[in-house]
Amino acid sequence: MGLVMSQQKSFDLNLFRIFTAVYRTSSFSRAAEELDLTQSSVSNAITRLKSIVGEELFIRVGRGVKPTASAMNLYQQLATPVSEIEQVASSFELFEPSNSERTFYVYASESAIQLLQGFVEKLLEELLINIVFREPPLIEEELQMDLQLGKVDLALDIWLPESASFQSQKVMQDSLVCVARNDHPRINGSITQEQYFNEKHIIFKMRRDNLSVADLLTKQVLPARKMHSEQSSILSMMAIASKSDALAIVSKSYSNEYARMFGLQVLELPFAAEPIEYHMVWSQKLQQNPANSWLRDLLNQAIVNRQRVSF
């Protein structure tokens, strides 16, 4: 579908920007929030674009909207140029760290917060800037929407987005280990597969399809394990492991930091597992934004500083 606008001498390019926002968010209200417009302004803009294109663009479904085939075709033509325009516009935003009092919000997994927060605070000592870490929402779509709407500036997680609306960078890698209390009656210094599956387990639940971290990262399908308890905090898992015979799987860097404090022995897993890969994720439209670029650089520096201390 090509746009026929012979009678449109002064076409409003904002209609394209509003259209792509509605398409990405599947909602007039979310698009309005992202663009700082009223919902009626967004609705009127889509109506105007529909009259120019001559075809229906969105169908109402529940509380949101669903694009028609015509809208999908139009979005394919517009997504890249609109994104490039937004990047250029965003690059003009002024940001000077030395006199800024801005607060940045970063979604980060519990382990990433624990490992990096102290190093980030050290880098901010001479500045009035504040960086607030938040654990991400349980539903992945909410995390993506919050990044698109600017509710958070960046995410630091093992989640890697598939959408072209985001940019990402791998920033850290970690491995998985098993922990058990030091005076465990059956385990001392190492563990076999048979021992592992004979014990009860503290399971850490993740956002991805309600999988455990072990199920997500192991290279083989694991047999069913006897569950001791289910936790959403790694520190809670380690505390429970220290007071029971149950086993837990945690990241190696976490065990380096806290195993001694909790009186835990650290054991190599008795099966092959993929490394944990942490990615920095941000909205594509902020790729050239000075403030977001500075935030990414600062977090990268905090990661480098932490790695220097670790080795």
Side-chain angles (χ1 to χ4, degrees):
M1 178 186 68
L3 289 179
V4 179
M5 294 179 287
S6 57
Q7 297 177 5
Q8 297 290 326
K9 293 182 179 179
S10 55
F11 179 77
D12 184 358
L13 290 174
N14 271 320
L15 298 183
F16 285 159
R17 183 166 171 255
I18 294 168
F19 166 79
T20 57
V22 172
Y23 189 99
R24 281 199 324 271
T25 60
S26 300
S27 165
F28 283 11
S29 59
R30 283 175 172 169
E33 189 178 352
E34 178 180 325
L35 301 170
D36 199 21
L37 298 171
T38 63
Q39 191 170 332
S40 61
S41 298
V42 170
S43 181
N44 289 338
I46 296 302
T47 300
R48 286 169 59 199
L49 185 60
K50 170 187 158 185
S51 67
I52 294 167
V53 173
E55 297 183 50
E56 198 69 57
L57 296 171
F58 296 101
I59 301 166
R60 290 203 172 274
V61 179
R63 293 184 178 181
V65 292
K66 183 178 179 182
T68 63
S70 298
M72 291 178 191
N73 195 350
L74 179 58
Y75 183 77
Q76 287 178 348
Q77 299 177 58
L78 293 177
T80 300
V82 168
S83 174
E84 289 172 352
I85 290 168
E86 285 181 330
Q87 283 187 54
V88 171
S90 180
S91 70
F92 296 138
E93 181 186 306
L94 296 177
F95 178 73
E96 179 49 59
S98 61
N99 57 27
S100 174
E101 297 182 22
R102 179 166 173 172
T103 295
F104 291 95
Y105 295 95
V106 176
Y107 274 152
S109 61
E110 179 194 12
S111 52
I113 294 171
Q114 289 282 343
L115 295 172
L116 290 180
Q117 190 157 32
F119 294 93
V120 168
E121 288 173 357
K122 192 76 176 169
L123 291 170
L124 294 175
E125 279 181 350
E126 304 297 320
L127 301 172
L128 296 175
I129 293 171
N130 192 25
I131 295 177
V132 176
F133 287 100
R134 293 172 171 170
E135 288 196 40
L138 291 175
I139 301 169
E140 209 129 292
E141 288 74 18
E142 285 185 28
L143 186 154
Q144 296 184 34
M145 195 60 64
D146 288 350
L147 280 170
Q148 284 187 347
L149 296 177
K151 291 182 178 179
V152 289
D153 298 282
L154 190 138
L156 189 59
D157 200 11
I158 66 172
W159 163 69
L160 188 60
E162 297 176 3
S163 168
S165 299
F166 302 101
Q167 287 278 357
S168 64
Q169 173 197 356
K170 178 183 166 185
V171 290
M172 290 190 292
Q173 185 168 302
D174 208 344
S175 55
L176 294 176
V177 294
C178 179
V179 293
R181 65 186 175 101
N182 283 332
D183 52 353
H184 197 286
R186 292 171 295 280
I187 295 166
N188 184 20
S190 64
I191 189 170
T192 65
Q193 273 205 35
E194 185 180 4
Q195 286 177 311
Y196 180 86
F197 290 108
N198 278 339
E199 298 294 336
K200 287 188 176 180
H201 296 264
I202 305 159
I203 306 296
F204 180 68
K205 281 294 180 182
M206 307 188 67
R207 295 196 307 278
R208 286 144 205 83
D209 303 317
N210 211 28
L211 289 173
S212 73
V213 66
D215 292 321
L216 181 73
L217 296 172
T218 46
K219 296 180 181 178
Q220 65 200 67
V221 178
L222 296 178
R225 284 163 291 165
K226 291 178 281 187
M227 186 185 293
H228 174 277
S229 60
E230 188 175 276
Q231 301 292 324
S232 59
S233 163
I234 301 170
L235 281 177
S236 294
M237 291 172 67
M238 298 179 84
I240 291 168
S242 72
K243 297 176 181 177
S244 70
D245 290 343
L247 307 180
I249 288 180
V250 301
S251 65
K252 190 172 183 179
S253 57
Y254 232 83
S255 69
N256 290 343
E257 199 98 9
Y258 296 107
R260 183 178 295 179
M261 179 191 302
F262 285 108
L264 298 170
Q265 52 181 312
V266 180
L267 313 159
E268 282 192 29
L269 290 179
F271 45 80
E274 302 283 355
I276 307 169
E277 294 185 343
Y278 292 92
H279 300 270
M280 199 180 288
V281 182
W282 61 94
S283 174
Q284 168 73 26
K285 64 187 176 186
L286 296 177
Q287 173 66 14
Q288 298 177 40
N289 178 267
N292 197 271
S293 180
W294 175 88
L295 175 63
R296 300 194 302 265
D297 288 344
L298 181 125
L299 290 175
N300 273 316
Q301 186 58 56
I303 290 163
V304 168
N305 292 350
R306 189 198 167 274
Q307 289 168 342
R308 283 176 183 156
V309 171
S310 300
F311 293 107

